[in-house]
Amino acid sequence: MNPSNQSPNHTAEDESQAVVTRRIQRLSLHLMAPSAQNYDLCAVIWLYERKAQGDTRESVEYFNSRPDLQTPVEILKDDHRELCWRQLLGLVREAGIKPFKYVAEDPAQYFAIAEAVGSVDMSLGIKMGVQYSLWGGSVINLGTKKHRDKYYDGIDNLDYPGCFAMTELHHGSNVQGLQTVATFDPIKDEFIINTPNDGAIKWWIGNAAVHGKFATVFAKLMLPTHDSKGYSDMGVHAFIVPIRDMKTHQTLPGIEIHDCGHKVGLNGVDNGALRFCSVRIPRDNLLNRFGDVSRDGKYTSSLPTINKRFAATLGELVGGRVGLAYSSVGVLKIAATIAIRYSLLRQQFGPPRKPEVSILDYQSQQHKLMPMLASTYAFHFATANLVEKYSEMKKTHDEQLVGDVHALSAGLKSYVTSYTAKSLSVCREACGGHGYAAVNRFGSLRNDHDIFQTFEGDNTVLLQQVAGDLLKQYKEKFQGGPLTVTWNYLRESMNAYLSQPNPVTARWEGEEHLRDPKFQLDAFRYRTSRLLQSVAVRLRKHSKTLGSFGAWNRCLNHLLTLAESHIESVILAKFIEAVQNCPDPSSRAALKLVCDLYALNRIWNDIGTYRNVDYVAPNKAKAIHKLTEYLSFQVRNIAGELIDAFDLPDYVTRAPIARQSDAYAYYTQIVGF
């Protein structure tokens, strides 16, 4: 067409669309920086491939080109397990993807692959994680060169499918309470693995029911002594135990395996239960990085106590929590994309004699979805930073960084997965009846993700770890000791936070002030500091009469609130940093809008706390509420661009109601019209 023949309106629309497209591309680029732009995303070409700049995508997918490997909406448990195994085999042996390489050499790339694989089928993502991050990770992180030399290739190419056998029927979070025993027999130079009672049966063990041939078994190491006790308990250690014959796949003598059965979700993963009866393994099968046993039964370790060895062992397994936090954000991106894209498409009611309006134009729908979208962006930057810290920790083994990653991963895994779980139900409801259709995925996403809240550490337990670390840092602060990086604000300005609120600033209600990142971050940190100081006083008071355990339990809800408040402060700090580092003015303005909504919505949700201590006067509280609603409206105007920046094509979201074009037509075809 001759440009001179185009209508002015058409030209204006084209220019407007071009502006939108450029902003989406710039947002996508910033979402990949600084961590994600370094990912070798060619490793996930079966899902989608991005160039180094992150602004293009090639349709070179593996699973998308293999309909026989795509998980149907309706599938039986046993069929799902076999399909999941074939998916993993195809990924590794046919597509040539090598996740184990990244576990060992570049964790950031591994987490990117895990997120992408989880988008294909969350069961596949978890099964891959069991094989490479848990079973494989335990071998390379808890073992030594002899274990890597013997097992690496078999784990890598799936000749050695394995399990991670930590959890028992009676003990999950309390790993030090595990009852499985590994007794050393110096005569035969072997360990004898035993399940002493039903409570010690290994339970919920991924890959155990059908496919696993090996298991990393966590058990108490018992060494013979010459005193009246007969044996000395050296604490929980990890052992490689073959569970099935390599050729026949039959269960080996002394091992009993049962299927844990149908689950709420993730039924492509074959969880099983293991019982051991005098199972003998060579002494070399002890994963001996932190503790070893000699031929004559002597124990040696570079770490002096059981507690230090235990902490070092669990510290090497923190990658699982990092991966779950990161993958949970991926699930939230998919759910938010489906719900928001549908809400932009769906029209219901409207002014008299006027066209119906998009349901996202309703304030109630904005209230449900816009703060959630803001949280998704906030979590993206926070977990990307966590992955970056974890990768650096694996390279440097810096002691301060290890402590920081341990606490941060516990907090973010707990906070993000709990938020995502709640949000999946909100998204389902926001899409009305069509959200209830299995083909639109909210049901499977919700069921598959639900376990994220309790495996790799129960969220309530993890938040207590965060609270415990905060109290330790609080004590260090007043004794002049070092603080880890994430806790620096306790040293820098806690005294200011604990002073009486300024009655003048407590009444400021101007938009410029409320959208000032300093005000927002100060408000978050003030709340955390008050909670920390007050719970420390309460614990000191109650410990005099109840003891330390009783005092902790008496203050438990207070401690959990403290931990969540701290994690919210960390998330906001990283979001503000990302906004400030965004090089493109247009994208920076969009991100600032989203960041302000995240911060002010959180403040409003806990406005009672701020009012109780007069940090916020009534007029200011009202202004915060009013501005939060206005920001939700403003974010709604760019919501389409914001979800498009996640760069999730239709074959990733896989929900008819979320298709970028012809959604209703495709939906009716799915049903059979």
Side-chain angles (χ1 to χ4, degrees):
M1 178 184 288
N2 188 328
S4 62
N5 294 330
Q6 293 184 19
S7 69
N9 287 343
H10 187 68
T11 303
E13 288 176 6
D14 288 348
E15 289 177 354
S16 177
Q17 185 57 45
V19 170
V20 169
T21 301
R22 286 196 297 273
R23 181 184 285 183
I24 291 169
Q25 291 173 347
R26 290 192 292 264
L27 278 169
S28 295
L29 173 61
H30 190 59
L31 279 171
M32 296 185 70
S35 302
Q37 67 182 4
N38 298 321
Y39 297 167
D40 177 13
L41 286 174
C42 289
V44 290
I45 57 174
W46 69 92
L47 183 57
Y48 56 89
E49 182 183 69
R50 296 175 179 172
K51 296 300 185 184
Q53 293 78 16
D55 59 356
T56 61
R57 180 177 66 246
E58 295 182 1
S59 58
V60 187
E61 328 91 355
Y62 173 65
F63 286 115
N64 198 44
S65 65
R66 290 288 305 274
D68 60 309
L69 292 181
Q70 294 172 14
T71 307
V73 173
E74 297 182 49
I75 185 170
L76 297 174
K77 170 176 65 70
D78 292 343
D79 293 340
H80 195 179
R81 289 174 171 182
E82 287 311 308
L83 174 61
C84 200
W85 178 238
R86 287 193 294 113
Q87 288 172 334
L88 187 57
L89 286 171
L91 182 71
V92 173
R93 296 181 180 177
E94 186 177 321
I97 310 300
K98 296 293 184 181
F100 198 34
K101 172 187 176 184
Y102 298 124
V103 171
E105 299 174 9
D106 192 342
Q109 287 194 19
Y110 173 77
F111 293 134
I113 293 171
E115 179 188 9
V117 168
S119 298
V120 173
D121 184 333
M122 226 179 293
S123 286
L124 173 60
I126 297 302
K127 193 170 184 71
M128 186 185 84
V130 171
Q131 173 67 15
Y132 294 118
S133 181
L134 295 181
W135 152 237
S138 66
V139 172
I140 61 175
N141 291 323
L142 302 182
T144 48
K145 183 178 183 297
K146 63 184 178 182
H147 301 109
R148 177 186 283 261
D149 291 346
K150 183 174 181 180
Y151 293 100
Y152 185 96
D153 288 344
I155 295 171
D156 183 47
N157 62 25
L158 294 175
D159 284 343
Y160 294 171
C163 317
F164 184 82
M166 178 181 281
T167 299
E168 295 177 356
L169 180 60
H170 283 186
H171 288 90
S173 298
N174 183 13
V175 179
Q176 281 185 300
L178 296 180
Q179 296 177 301
T180 302
V181 293
T183 306
F184 183 60
D185 179 355
I187 297 174
K188 293 193 174 182
D189 196 27
E190 293 174 333
F191 289 104
I192 307 169
I193 312 295
N194 269 300
T195 302
N197 54 62
D198 285 353
I201 295 172
K202 295 295 181 181
W203 209 272
W204 294 126
I205 310 305
N207 280 353
V210 180
H211 299 122
K213 286 184 164 67
F214 295 88
T216 293
V217 176
F218 287 80
K220 292 189 294 184
L221 170 56
M222 309 297 289
L223 293 179
T225 61
H226 300 293
D227 57 23
S228 58
K229 292 183 179 179
Y231 289 95
S232 177
D233 182 353
M234 306 307 296
V236 174
H237 288 62
F239 304 82
I240 296 176
V241 182
I243 60 173
R244 288 187 175 93
D245 186 273
M246 288 298 297
K247 293 181 179 179
T248 66
H249 202 62
Q250 294 298 307
T251 304
L252 293 173
I255 295 173
E256 192 177 344
I257 304 176
H258 291 280
D259 195 327
C260 286
H262 202 277
K263 306 184 293 292
V264 169
L266 295 179
N267 282 297
V269 182
D270 52 313
N271 294 88
L274 301 170
R275 189 204 297 268
F276 304 97
C277 182
S278 298
V279 176
R280 289 181 171 269
I281 57 172
R283 179 168 54 89
D284 277 351
N285 282 29
L286 167 66
L287 293 172
N288 61 337
R289 178 178 171 189
F290 298 116
D292 203 1
V293 176
S294 64
R295 177 68 182 83
D296 60 355
K298 294 289 194 300
Y299 185 83
T300 56
S301 174
S302 59
L303 301 171
T305 66
I306 286 179
N307 285 340
K308 285 188 178 296
R309 291 193 293 271
F310 178 74
T313 297
L314 292 192
E316 284 300 318
L317 305 175
V318 75
R321 293 174 186 170
V322 176
L324 284 179
Y326 190 82
S327 294
S328 185
V329 179
V331 174
L332 186 55
K333 287 177 183 176
I334 291 173
T337 297
I338 296 171
I340 291 170
R341 196 164 280 157
Y342 173 74
S343 295
L344 288 166
L345 167 72
R346 183 75 165 178
Q347 295 178 332
Q348 293 289 287
F349 306 109
R353 295 179 295 280
K354 294 287 181 68
E356 290 186 305
V357 301
S358 161
I359 61 173
L360 198 55
D361 287 333
Y362 289 102
Q363 190 182 61
S364 56
Q365 194 80 342
Q366 294 168 13
H367 178 72
K368 290 176 184 176
L369 297 179
M370 295 304 95
M372 182 192 303
L373 178 57
S375 296
T376 307
Y377 267 79
F379 298 166
H380 168 89
F381 292 116
T383 55
N385 174 257
L386 174 61
V387 168
E388 200 171 69
K389 282 178 177 284
Y390 176 75
S391 299
E392 183 66 21
M393 181 199 80
K394 296 295 287 184
K395 293 175 185 174
T396 64
H397 301 287
D398 178 78
E399 190 171 327
Q400 192 174 13
L401 195 55
V402 169
D404 204 26
V405 169
H406 182 76
L408 194 56
S409 63
L412 281 174
K413 183 269 181 187
S414 175
Y415 189 88
V416 171
T417 58
S418 291
Y419 185 92
T420 298
K422 295 180 180 72
S423 297
L424 287 165
S425 289
V426 172
C427 286
R428 205 294 297 160
E429 294 167 16
C431 293
H434 293 313
Y436 198 61
V439 72
N440 288 319
R441 296 195 65 197
F442 290 123
S444 60
L445 287 172
R446 185 170 56 187
N447 289 349
D448 287 345
H449 177 275
D450 194 59
I451 192 62
F452 280 42
Q453 299 174 92
T454 47
F455 69 0
E456 291 295 319
D458 178 273
N459 283 356
T460 302
V461 175
L462 294 182
L463 285 176
Q464 290 180 70
Q465 290 182 15
V466 175
D469 274 353
L470 280 165
L471 287 163
K472 179 182 176 183
Q473 300 292 336
Y474 178 76
K475 183 178 179 182
E476 293 282 355
K477 190 264 181 190
F478 289 107
Q479 292 181 352
L483 298 182
T484 54
V485 175
T486 305
W487 278 247
N488 266 345
Y489 71 86
L490 292 178
R491 174 194 289 121
E492 292 169 357
S493 48
M494 189 167 176
N495 288 335
Y497 291 135
L498 291 179
S499 62
Q500 288 299 311
N502 186 324
V504 176
T505 57
R507 304 184 71 83
W508 286 356
E509 58 181 82
E511 181 176 336
E512 184 178 352
H513 166 67
L514 297 180
R515 296 188 65 179
D516 183 346
K518 184 180 186 307
F519 158 70
Q520 296 165 1
L521 198 52
D522 278 351
F524 276 49
R525 289 175 170 176
Y526 173 83
R527 179 183 58 171
T528 303
S529 299
R530 294 282 302 203
L531 287 165
L532 177 54
Q533 190 267 346
S534 57
V535 82
V537 171
R538 289 186 66 206
L539 285 168
R540 194 178 305 119
K541 171 189 171 184
H542 289 304
S543 63
K544 295 176 182 177
T545 55
L546 301 175
S548 58
F549 180 84
W552 186 271
N553 193 37
R554 174 67 66 88
C555 301
L556 187 52
N557 290 334
H558 192 158
L559 289 160
L560 297 177
T561 303
L562 164 66
E564 290 179 340
S565 176
H566 170 67
I567 292 302
E568 287 183 350
S569 299
V570 172
I571 292 169
L572 178 60
K574 288 303 163 188
F575 201 171
I576 291 171
E577 185 180 300
V579 173
Q580 293 170 344
N581 290 340
C582 182
D584 173 68
S586 177
S587 296
R588 186 166 60 250
L591 288 173
K592 176 68 167 66
L593 182 67
V594 176
C595 185
D596 289 342
L597 175 57
Y598 172 78
L600 293 175
N601 183 68
R602 286 298 189 282
I603 293 172
W604 174 250
N605 286 343
D606 199 19
I607 198 66
T609 296
Y610 294 104
R611 286 288 302 114
N612 285 343
V613 294
D614 293 323
Y615 189 83
V616 169
N619 67 306
K620 189 170 187 173
K622 185 177 180 180
I624 289 170
H625 184 215
K626 186 177 179 180
L627 183 55
T628 300
E629 291 187 338
Y630 177 69
L631 291 175
S632 288
F633 168 73
Q634 291 287 82
V635 170
R636 177 263 176 267
N637 291 333
I638 58 170
E641 297 171 51
L642 290 167
I643 59 171
D644 286 347
F646 294 149
D647 210 12
L648 300 173
D650 289 341
Y651 57 80
V652 174
T653 55
R654 300 199 316 280
I657 61 172
R659 288 180 69 84
Q660 298 181 64
S661 62
D662 302 321
Y664 282 128
Y666 185 75
Y667 194 12
T668 54
Q669 288 176 20
I670 291 290
V671 174
F673 285 99

